[in-house]
Amino acid sequence: LERTLGPHPALHAFEAKVRQASKELAKAILSAEWNPNQGSPERSYRRLKGLIVYRGKATDVRQLPSEAFDEVDEAKMLQATIEKVQRIATKRRDKNGKVITEPEQMQDVLKRWIIPANDSRKIMWDLFIGALIIYSVITITYTVSFTAAPAPFFVVVDVMVDIFFAVDMILSFRSAFQDPNGLLNTVPIDIARHYLKTYFLVDFLSTMPIDRVVEAAS
């Protein structure tokens, strides 16, 4: 457990809160005492003390503050719960340049012009690029197999496809990745190094219109 939680300091605090909350919940559930029955001394009955978990502690209902009985804005509570659940563990640098690993909202990552890997728009973009790759494979195979000169319309389409591929390469330099510790690395220099070591060469060779460069040079 220590080895697993080691890279995630925030999880230690979360684990401690869960343990404390479990203790307080058990204390509230088991808050009962056995009193002798007035009618029959040999028998006894259980009387609940009326403890509930309030703000993380087992509290007697008679000691609850008045605001505990105020109407609750369920919409705000739901939104707060969703925001808490959507927090992701990231690796980033603070204003002083120190590397920190703490959970944060996805919106905070986007504000730094970093694209989370699980962002819905990033997923849609990847699907779009995948469709363009399939198109390129089909058209290139057809052109090479039948040595057919592409029509002007398809020449324009091919240029647009190359532009989209180039944009995808630029976005890859700002796309966060998951490191071996399970953290979403959002440090720009780490993202650039990771991309250069992995898919940059393949993307560059597949995006660079070498045939057009050769034709232009000749």
Side-chain angles (χ1 to χ4, degrees), residues 67 69-73:
E67 58 266 18
F69 301 95
D70 294 341
E71 292 186 3
V72 179
D73 191 336

Side-chain angles (χ1 to χ4, degrees), residues 114-115 171-177 185-196:
I114 300 295
I115 306 173
L171 295 178
S172 296
F173 281 99
R174 304 297 295 181
S175 298
F177 67 96
N185 194 325
T186 64
V187 180
I189 187 64
D190 292 346
I191 296 175
R193 289 173 180 170
H194 179 265
Y195 180 54
L196 290 173

Side-chain angles (χ1 to χ4, degrees), residues 44-188:
S44 59
Y45 67 95
R46 186 172 65 175
R47 180 173 63 87
L48 298 179
K49 294 181 180 178
L51 296 182
I52 64 173
V53 178
Y54 177 70
R55 293 186 176 178
K57 293 185 178 181
T59 308
D60 192 316
V61 293
R62 293 166 295 185
Q63 299 176 356
L64 291 174
S66 58
E67 58 266 18
F69 301 95
D70 294 341
E71 292 186 3
V72 179
D73 191 336
E74 296 184 359
K76 289 185 178 180
M77 287 187 62
L78 178 61
Q79 182 64 27
T81 303
I82 293 175
E83 292 178 356
K84 187 175 293 185
V85 171
Q86 289 180 340
R87 294 174 68 88
I88 51 179
T90 63
K91 178 181 179 181
R92 61 188 186 277
R93 294 186 183 274
D94 59 10
K95 296 180 180 179
N96 299 323
K98 181 181 178 182
V99 176
I100 56 177
T101 56
E102 295 180 355
E104 62 176 335
Q105 297 289 338
M106 187 178 296
Q107 291 82 354
D108 297 330
V109 179
L110 293 172
K111 288 179 181 178
R112 299 198 302 274
W113 297 95
I114 300 295
I115 306 173
N118 58 344
D119 185 77
S120 59
R121 290 164 293 187
K122 174 69 165 56
I123 296 174
M124 294 299 297
W125 172 262
D126 290 341
L127 292 175
F128 173 68
I129 294 298
L132 294 182
I133 293 175
I134 296 175
Y135 166 81
S136 298
V137 170
I138 295 174
T139 55
I140 291 174
T141 303
Y142 176 82
T143 303
V144 172
S145 301
F146 298 97
T147 62
F153 170 77
F154 289 103
V155 172
V156 175
V157 173
D158 290 341
V159 172
M160 295 298 299
V161 169
D162 292 336
I163 292 175
F164 280 120
F165 285 161
V167 172
D168 182 65
M169 289 184 62
I170 296 174
L171 295 178
S172 296
F173 281 99
R174 304 297 295 181
S175 298
F177 67 96
Q178 193 171 30
D179 64 11
N181 295 324
L183 298 173
L184 189 68
N185 194 325
T186 64
V187 180

Side-chain angles (χ1 to χ4, degrees), residues 165 168-169 172 195 199-208:
F165 285 161
D168 182 65
M169 289 184 62
S172 296
Y195 180 54
Y199 301 107
F200 173 77
L201 183 59
V202 176
D203 290 346
F204 178 78
L205 294 177
S206 60
T207 302
M208 183 68 179

